[in-house]
mmCIF file of all heavy atoms in Angstrom:
data_model
loop_
_atom_site.group_PDB
_atom_site.id
_atom_site.type_symbol
_atom_site.label_atom_id
_atom_site.label_comp_id
_atom_site.label_asym_id
_atom_site.label_seq_id
_atom_site.Cartn_x
_atom_site.Cartn_y
_atom_site.Cartn_z
ATOM 1 N N SER O 144 -5.413 11.831 24.005
ATOM 2 C CA SER O 144 -5.773 10.895 25.071
ATOM 3 C C SER O 144 -4.543 10.240 25.669
ATOM 4 O O SER O 144 -4.459 10.030 26.870
ATOM 5 C CB SER O 144 -6.719 9.817 24.536
ATOM 6 O OG SER O 144 -7.963 10.368 24.191
ATOM 7 N N ASN O 147 -2.679 12.709 28.000
ATOM 8 C CA ASN O 147 -3.374 13.129 29.210
ATOM 9 C C ASN O 147 -3.956 11.913 29.918
ATOM 10 O O ASN O 147 -4.399 10.959 29.289
ATOM 11 C CB ASN O 147 -4.515 14.096 28.866
ATOM 12 C CG ASN O 147 -3.998 15.346 28.178
ATOM 13 O OD1 ASN O 147 -3.180 16.066 28.728
ATOM 14 N ND2 ASN O 147 -4.459 15.596 26.964
ATOM 15 N N SER O 148 -3.955 11.956 31.221
ATOM 16 C CA SER O 148 -4.501 10.843 31.992
ATOM 17 C C SER O 148 -6.011 10.775 31.869
ATOM 18 O O SER O 148 -6.618 9.719 31.929
ATOM 19 C CB SER O 148 -4.101 10.977 33.465
ATOM 20 O OG SER O 148 -4.545 12.233 33.984
ATOM 21 N N SER O 149 -6.666 11.937 31.681
ATOM 22 C CA SER O 149 -8.122 11.953 31.547
ATOM 23 C C SER O 149 -8.523 11.608 30.124
ATOM 24 O O SER O 149 -7.766 11.803 29.186
ATOM 25 C CB SER O 149 -8.670 13.342 31.896
ATOM 26 O OG SER O 149 -8.122 14.306 31.038
ATOM 27 N N ASP O 150 -9.713 11.044 29.976
ATOM 28 C CA ASP O 150 -10.204 10.674 28.653
ATOM 29 C C ASP O 150 -10.423 11.911 27.802
ATOM 30 O O ASP O 150 -10.853 12.957 28.288
ATOM 31 C CB ASP O 150 -11.513 9.895 28.771
ATOM 32 C CG ASP O 150 -11.290 8.498 29.341
ATOM 33 O OD1 ASP O 150 -10.233 7.921 29.037
ATOM 34 O OD2 ASP O 150 -12.162 8.011 30.087
ATOM 35 N N ASN O 151 -10.150 11.788 26.523
ATOM 36 C CA ASN O 151 -10.297 12.903 25.602
ATOM 37 C C ASN O 151 -11.762 13.107 25.215
ATOM 38 O O ASN O 151 -12.490 12.146 25.005
ATOM 39 C CB ASN O 151 -9.460 12.625 24.347
ATOM 40 C CG ASN O 151 -9.482 13.778 23.375
ATOM 41 O OD1 ASN O 151 -10.333 13.818 22.514
ATOM 42 N ND2 ASN O 151 -8.553 14.702 23.531
ATOM 43 N N ILE O 154 -13.724 11.975 21.279
ATOM 44 C CA ILE O 154 -14.391 10.726 20.947
ATOM 45 C C ILE O 154 -15.800 10.701 21.545
ATOM 46 O O ILE O 154 -16.717 10.103 20.985
ATOM 47 C CB ILE O 154 -13.544 9.511 21.417
ATOM 48 C CG1 ILE O 154 -14.045 8.222 20.766
ATOM 49 C CG2 ILE O 154 -13.531 9.408 22.927
ATOM 50 C CD1 ILE O 154 -13.828 8.168 19.284
ATOM 51 N N TYR O 155 -15.992 11.375 22.681
ATOM 52 C CA TYR O 155 -17.325 11.426 23.282
ATOM 53 C C TYR O 155 -18.221 12.430 22.557
ATOM 54 O O TYR O 155 -19.440 12.261 22.511
ATOM 55 C CB TYR O 155 -17.224 11.743 24.773
ATOM 56 C CG TYR O 155 -16.525 10.637 25.530
ATOM 57 C CD1 TYR O 155 -15.243 10.802 26.028
ATOM 58 C CD2 TYR O 155 -17.137 9.396 25.694
ATOM 59 C CE1 TYR O 155 -14.594 9.779 26.686
ATOM 60 C CE2 TYR O 155 -16.491 8.356 26.346
ATOM 61 C CZ TYR O 155 -15.224 8.558 26.844
ATOM 62 O OH TYR O 155 -14.578 7.530 27.485
ATOM 63 N N GLU O 183 -12.111 2.318 15.823
ATOM 64 C CA GLU O 183 -11.367 1.753 16.956
ATOM 65 C C GLU O 183 -9.906 1.469 16.619
ATOM 66 O O GLU O 183 -9.056 1.387 17.517
ATOM 67 C CB GLU O 183 -12.047 0.478 17.456
ATOM 68 C CG GLU O 183 -11.966 -0.726 16.535
ATOM 69 C CD GLU O 183 -13.040 -0.730 15.454
ATOM 70 O OE1 GLU O 183 -13.714 0.307 15.268
ATOM 71 O OE2 GLU O 183 -13.199 -1.760 14.791
ATOM 72 N N ALA O 186 -7.129 3.736 17.876
ATOM 73 C CA ALA O 186 -6.886 3.768 19.317
ATOM 74 C C ALA O 186 -5.847 2.746 19.754
ATOM 75 O O ALA O 186 -5.739 2.434 20.943
ATOM 76 C CB ALA O 186 -8.202 3.525 20.060
ATOM 77 N N GLU O 187 -5.060 2.215 18.796
ATOM 78 C CA GLU O 187 -4.117 1.142 19.122
ATOM 79 C C GLU O 187 -3.084 1.539 20.170
ATOM 80 O O GLU O 187 -2.604 0.698 20.925
ATOM 81 C CB GLU O 187 -3.390 0.676 17.853
ATOM 82 C CG GLU O 187 -4.274 -0.142 16.912
ATOM 83 C CD GLU O 187 -3.516 -0.654 15.704
ATOM 84 O OE1 GLU O 187 -2.385 -0.167 15.487
ATOM 85 O OE2 GLU O 187 -4.043 -1.513 14.989
ATOM 86 N N SER O 188 -2.731 2.829 20.231
ATOM 87 C CA SER O 188 -1.692 3.274 21.167
ATOM 88 C C SER O 188 -2.243 3.566 22.563
ATOM 89 O O SER O 188 -1.485 3.888 23.474
ATOM 90 C CB SER O 188 -1.011 4.547 20.622
ATOM 91 O OG SER O 188 -1.965 5.600 20.493
ATOM 92 N N LEU O 189 -3.557 3.461 22.744
ATOM 93 C CA LEU O 189 -4.191 3.820 24.015
ATOM 94 C C LEU O 189 -4.272 2.621 24.958
ATOM 95 O O LEU O 189 -3.957 1.492 24.597
ATOM 96 C CB LEU O 189 -5.590 4.382 23.753
ATOM 97 C CG LEU O 189 -5.664 5.587 22.810
ATOM 98 C CD1 LEU O 189 -7.099 6.061 22.672
ATOM 99 C CD2 LEU O 189 -4.775 6.726 23.299
ATOM 100 N N THR O 190 -4.710 2.868 26.176
ATOM 101 C CA THR O 190 -4.848 1.802 27.160
ATOM 102 C C THR O 190 -5.993 0.875 26.754
ATOM 103 O O THR O 190 -6.845 1.241 25.940
ATOM 104 C CB THR O 190 -5.143 2.383 28.553
ATOM 105 O OG1 THR O 190 -6.429 3.035 28.521
ATOM 106 C CG2 THR O 190 -4.070 3.380 28.958
ATOM 107 N N LEU O 191 -6.014 -0.313 27.338
ATOM 108 C CA LEU O 191 -7.064 -1.279 27.012
ATOM 109 C C LEU O 191 -8.444 -0.719 27.356
ATOM 110 O O LEU O 191 -9.408 -0.915 26.596
ATOM 111 C CB LEU O 191 -6.819 -2.583 27.774
ATOM 112 C CG LEU O 191 -7.754 -3.756 27.442
ATOM 113 C CD1 LEU O 191 -7.639 -4.109 25.965
ATOM 114 C CD2 LEU O 191 -7.416 -4.964 28.304
ATOM 115 N N LYS O 192 -8.544 0.012 28.455
ATOM 116 C CA LYS O 192 -9.825 0.612 28.854
ATOM 117 C C LYS O 192 -10.296 1.614 27.806
ATOM 118 O O LYS O 192 -11.480 1.638 27.410
ATOM 119 C CB LYS O 192 -9.682 1.301 30.200
ATOM 120 C CG LYS O 192 -10.954 1.989 30.679
ATOM 121 C CD LYS O 192 -10.708 2.761 31.969
ATOM 122 C CE LYS O 192 -11.955 3.559 32.361
ATOM 123 N NZ LYS O 192 -11.718 4.371 33.589
ATOM 124 N N GLN O 193 -9.381 2.467 27.335
ATOM 125 C CA GLN O 193 -9.728 3.462 26.326
ATOM 126 C C GLN O 193 -10.091 2.802 24.999
ATOM 127 O O GLN O 193 -11.029 3.225 24.314
ATOM 128 C CB GLN O 193 -8.556 4.434 26.132
ATOM 129 C CG GLN O 193 -8.334 5.374 27.311
ATOM 130 C CD GLN O 193 -7.052 6.176 27.159
ATOM 131 O OE1 GLN O 193 -6.017 5.645 26.747
ATOM 132 N NE2 GLN O 193 -7.118 7.451 27.496
ATOM 133 N N GLN O 194 -9.365 1.753 24.629
ATOM 134 C CA GLN O 194 -9.673 1.042 23.391
ATOM 135 C C GLN O 194 -11.084 0.466 23.420
ATOM 136 O O GLN O 194 -11.794 0.482 22.415
ATOM 137 C CB GLN O 194 -8.655 -0.088 23.168
ATOM 138 C CG GLN O 194 -7.270 0.407 22.762
ATOM 139 C CD GLN O 194 -6.307 -0.737 22.510
ATOM 140 O OE1 GLN O 194 -6.691 -1.818 22.099
ATOM 141 N NE2 GLN O 194 -5.024 -0.497 22.768
ATOM 142 N N LYS O 195 -11.484 -0.046 24.577
ATOM 143 C CA LYS O 195 -12.838 -0.597 24.712
ATOM 144 C C LYS O 195 -13.891 0.503 24.534
ATOM 145 O O LYS O 195 -14.945 0.277 23.938
ATOM 146 C CB LYS O 195 -13.000 -1.271 26.072
ATOM 147 C CG LYS O 195 -12.254 -2.588 26.182
ATOM 148 C CD LYS O 195 -12.459 -3.230 27.553
ATOM 149 C CE LYS O 195 -11.742 -4.577 27.633
ATOM 150 N NZ LYS O 195 -11.898 -5.209 28.972
ATOM 151 N N GLU O 196 -13.602 1.705 25.048
ATOM 152 C CA GLU O 196 -14.531 2.835 24.888
ATOM 153 C C GLU O 196 -14.658 3.211 23.418
ATOM 154 O O GLU O 196 -15.760 3.446 22.913
ATOM 155 C CB GLU O 196 -14.043 4.032 25.709
ATOM 156 C CG GLU O 196 -14.262 3.895 27.202
ATOM 157 C CD GLU O 196 -15.743 3.803 27.539
ATOM 158 O OE1 GLU O 196 -16.520 4.662 27.075
ATOM 159 O OE2 GLU O 196 -16.128 2.856 28.254
ATOM 160 N N TRP O 197 -13.531 3.276 22.717
ATOM 161 C CA TRP O 197 -13.545 3.617 21.291
ATOM 162 C C TRP O 197 -14.314 2.559 20.507
ATOM 163 O O TRP O 197 -15.067 2.888 19.592
ATOM 164 C CB TRP O 197 -12.110 3.730 20.762
ATOM 165 C CG TRP O 197 -11.428 5.025 21.086
ATOM 166 C CD1 TRP O 197 -11.253 5.560 22.332
ATOM 167 C CD2 TRP O 197 -10.821 5.932 20.173
ATOM 168 N NE1 TRP O 197 -10.563 6.745 22.249
ATOM 169 C CE2 TRP O 197 -10.288 6.993 20.933
ATOM 170 C CE3 TRP O 197 -10.657 5.947 18.789
ATOM 171 C CZ2 TRP O 197 -9.617 8.063 20.348
ATOM 172 C CZ3 TRP O 197 -9.982 7.016 18.208
ATOM 173 C CH2 TRP O 197 -9.476 8.058 18.974
ATOM 174 N N HIS O 198 -14.101 1.296 20.855
ATOM 175 C CA HIS O 198 -14.802 0.209 20.163
ATOM 176 C C HIS O 198 -16.309 0.324 20.378
ATOM 177 O O HIS O 198 -17.101 0.115 19.437
ATOM 178 C CB HIS O 198 -14.298 -1.139 20.677
ATOM 179 C CG HIS O 198 -14.947 -2.321 20.018
ATOM 180 N ND1 HIS O 198 -14.676 -2.695 18.721
ATOM 181 C CD2 HIS O 198 -15.889 -3.187 20.477
ATOM 182 C CE1 HIS O 198 -15.404 -3.744 18.402
ATOM 183 N NE2 HIS O 198 -16.154 -4.077 19.448
ATOM 184 N N LYS O 199 -16.709 0.673 21.591
ATOM 185 C CA LYS O 199 -18.134 0.822 21.910
ATOM 186 C C LYS O 199 -18.749 1.961 21.100
ATOM 187 O O LYS O 199 -19.860 1.834 20.560
ATOM 188 C CB LYS O 199 -18.308 1.090 23.405
ATOM 189 C CG LYS O 199 -19.757 1.197 23.857
ATOM 190 C CD LYS O 199 -19.853 1.371 25.364
ATOM 191 C CE LYS O 199 -19.327 2.722 25.793
ATOM 192 N NZ LYS O 199 -19.497 2.953 27.251
ATOM 193 N N ILE O 200 -18.024 3.059 20.984
ATOM 194 C CA ILE O 200 -18.537 4.218 20.238
ATOM 195 C C ILE O 200 -18.603 3.920 18.744
ATOM 196 O O ILE O 200 -19.536 4.334 18.052
ATOM 197 C CB ILE O 200 -17.664 5.460 20.533
ATOM 198 C CG1 ILE O 200 -17.876 5.895 21.985
ATOM 199 C CG2 ILE O 200 -17.988 6.604 19.578
ATOM 200 C CD1 ILE O 200 -16.873 6.906 22.490
#
Side-chain angles (χ1 to χ4, degrees):
S144 293
N147 300 301
S148 57
S149 60
D150 289 326
N151 184 270
I154 195 67
Y155 295 108
E183 70 276 12
E187 287 183 347
S188 61
L189 304 182
T190 65
L191 186 60
K192 178 185 174 183
Q193 289 172 318
Q194 288 182 30
K195 287 181 178 179
E196 285 297 309
W197 281 56
H198 181 72
K199 183 176 69 176
I200 291 168

